Amino acid sequence: MRRLPSLALIGTAALTGLGLAQPALAQSVSINYASLSTLEEPIALRSGQTTVVLNGLVDGGARINFDTHNLIDPVVTGVVANGQATIESELGNRWTVGASYFGQYDTYARTYRANSVGFVRTSWGSFIGGNVAGLIREDTRRRRGFGNGILAYDDFIGTNARWGGVYRVINGPFVSGLMVDQEGNVEIGTVYQRPYGTHDIRWSLRGRHARTRDAAGRRRFTTTGGIAVADLTYGSSIYDLGLGYERITGLGLSLDRWFASAGARTKILGWTMSLEGHVGTIDGSPEYAAAAGLGYAISRGLSANLGFNLRDANVVRGGIPVLVGTDQSAAFSVRYSY
């Protein structure tokens, strides 16, 4: 049996203290880890003690890659459609049991991806099992950009396995979670959010220990790191900053990665705008990314979206592609979310 790192033991103690301080509040389970997420409130249906919640979107448009030297067709049109359904019911002992299913069909990549989880919420916290690889990140991550602005490299290189379990607790303004997956990878995170007068403050901490494949998807190495995020909401604007460190070892590697991401988002009448940037270094080799997004609300649920994104990294050590990817692209789409 694989021994879990000390990160898991520390996390268990911290979460237990938070979870027993007072009964946990009801918490929704979102397993949409994709870059496109609906901004609309979900549709909820209730019958007796059972509730069904539905949400999703359909996004159709075109993507343009300006690095045309390796492309046959730099302009690609397509559709992305996703949706999540959650059903839950309250038992006689006041526990809530439920399940969620998320699916996304992408004609650009010609793929269908799905996540599913089952969960139990009690007064001591929530126990969630299934495809929980991105659940802790979704709780603690920086805010997504608007429009079609998607910032690259704004996460650890190390990734979690597909199946695992999460224990999540809520205590006042804190939401904390601990994940262990099928390969023994561990992730822990906590987020604090509370309004103060005319503004809202949110900060989060997240740590991950994971074994992952290189950029070519072949050989495996180990990474351990942490990310801290702080953001300020003032009126219709959000400003945030994320700082991270990751240690990469194995396969003869011993690398330090430092990185920072920052962004600003605002809403003016029917327009939403975002601007984000990322810089980092791995063993002296730089990594860069930037994203600009623009959206216009045509009507409830219907919007036009534009985005410009770029990334640049070429970190290869000992013949192992640690982080590789260079492109400059734009995307336009019309999106309906519900």
Side-chain angles (χ1 to χ4, degrees):
M1 181 176 180
R2 184 176 174 183
R3 185 178 181 182
L4 299 181
S6 58
L7 177 63
L9 302 179
I10 297 172
T12 301
L15 291 173
T16 300
L18 287 174
L20 298 181
Q22 69 179 52
L25 303 177
Q27 168 96 2
S28 62
V29 178
S30 174
I31 49 176
N32 179 0
Y33 312 139
S35 57
L36 298 181
S37 294
T38 177
L39 298 179
E40 296 297 319
E41 291 295 324
I43 300 170
L45 307 172
R46 186 175 179 86
S47 176
Q49 298 299 315
T50 301
T51 301
V52 178
V53 180
L54 305 171
N55 64 348
L57 60 83
V58 178
D59 183 277
R63 298 178 181 177
I64 305 170
N65 195 310
F66 299 111
D67 294 329
T68 59
H69 58 285
N70 290 323
L71 297 174
I72 298 175
D73 186 359
V75 181
V76 180
T77 60
V79 175
V80 177
N82 66 40
Q84 178 171 316
T86 300
I87 183 170
E88 60 180 53
S89 182
E90 185 174 326
L91 304 181
N93 60 359
R94 302 187 67 84
W95 288 16
T96 298
V97 297
S100 295
Y101 178 86
F102 170 83
Q104 175 167 294
Y105 180 63
D106 186 340
T107 66
Y108 295 100
R110 298 181 182 180
T111 60
Y112 180 80
R113 297 180 180 178
N115 297 321
S116 59
V117 298
F119 57 89
V120 178
R121 285 201 298 265
T122 74
S123 58
W124 298 282
S126 298
F127 301 86
I128 309 164
N131 305 131
V132 296
L135 198 60
I136 302 298
R137 183 185 183 225
E138 289 302 309
D139 286 345
T140 59
R141 62 171 289 161
R142 292 180 53 255
R143 315 285 185 146
R144 283 185 170 89
F146 290 140
N148 285 317
I150 303 171
L151 186 66
Y153 304 143
D154 187 24
D155 196 10
F156 300 116
I157 295 175
T159 57
N160 297 322
R162 181 166 171 76
W163 295 92
V166 166
Y167 174 48
R168 176 199 275 165
V169 294
I170 302 176
N171 181 270
F174 290 92
V175 178
S176 304
L178 170 68
M179 186 222 67
V180 180
D181 69 23
Q182 68 191 79
E183 296 181 351
N185 300 328
V186 177
E187 186 163 22
I188 181 173
T190 187
V191 59
Y192 169 94
Q193 183 170 2
R194 172 165 286 181
Y196 290 90
T198 58
H199 58 279
D200 184 278
I201 293 177
R202 174 180 176 268
W203 60 259
S204 67
L205 297 171
R206 177 165 58 103
R208 178 185 291 175
H209 175 86
R211 296 186 66 226
T212 192
R213 297 188 182 276
D214 60 29
R218 295 192 296 268
R219 290 168 288 187
R220 295 166 66 87
F221 50 80
T222 300
T223 77
T224 303
I227 296 177
V229 173
D231 70 47
L232 169 69
T233 301
Y234 187 82
S236 298
S237 300
I238 302 174
Y239 310 94
D240 64 22
L241 172 66
L243 302 174
Y245 168 77
E246 191 171 18
R247 179 70 174 170
I248 303 168
T249 58
L251 298 176
L253 301 176
S254 181
L255 311 176
D256 292 311
R257 178 186 182 224
W258 299 89
F259 56 96
S261 302
R265 300 151 194 80
T266 191
K267 181 177 181 181
I268 303 175
L269 298 177
W271 294 91
T272 54
M273 294 162 279
S274 64
L275 184 63
E276 302 172 89
H278 172 95
V279 295
T281 179
I282 304 177
D283 191 38
S285 297
E287 59 181 79
Y288 303 102
L294 179 67
Y296 178 72
I298 301 172
S299 62
R300 180 175 176 82
L302 183 64
S303 62
N305 299 275
L306 181 66
F308 297 93
N309 305 295
L310 65 88
R311 60 174 181 157
D312 187 3
N314 186 26
V315 183
V316 180
R317 293 292 185 275
I320 301 171
V322 179
L323 186 65
V324 176
T326 300
D327 59 56
Q328 302 173 22
S329 62
F332 171 78
S333 66
V334 176
R335 183 178 307 158
Y336 178 72
S337 58
Y338 60 90

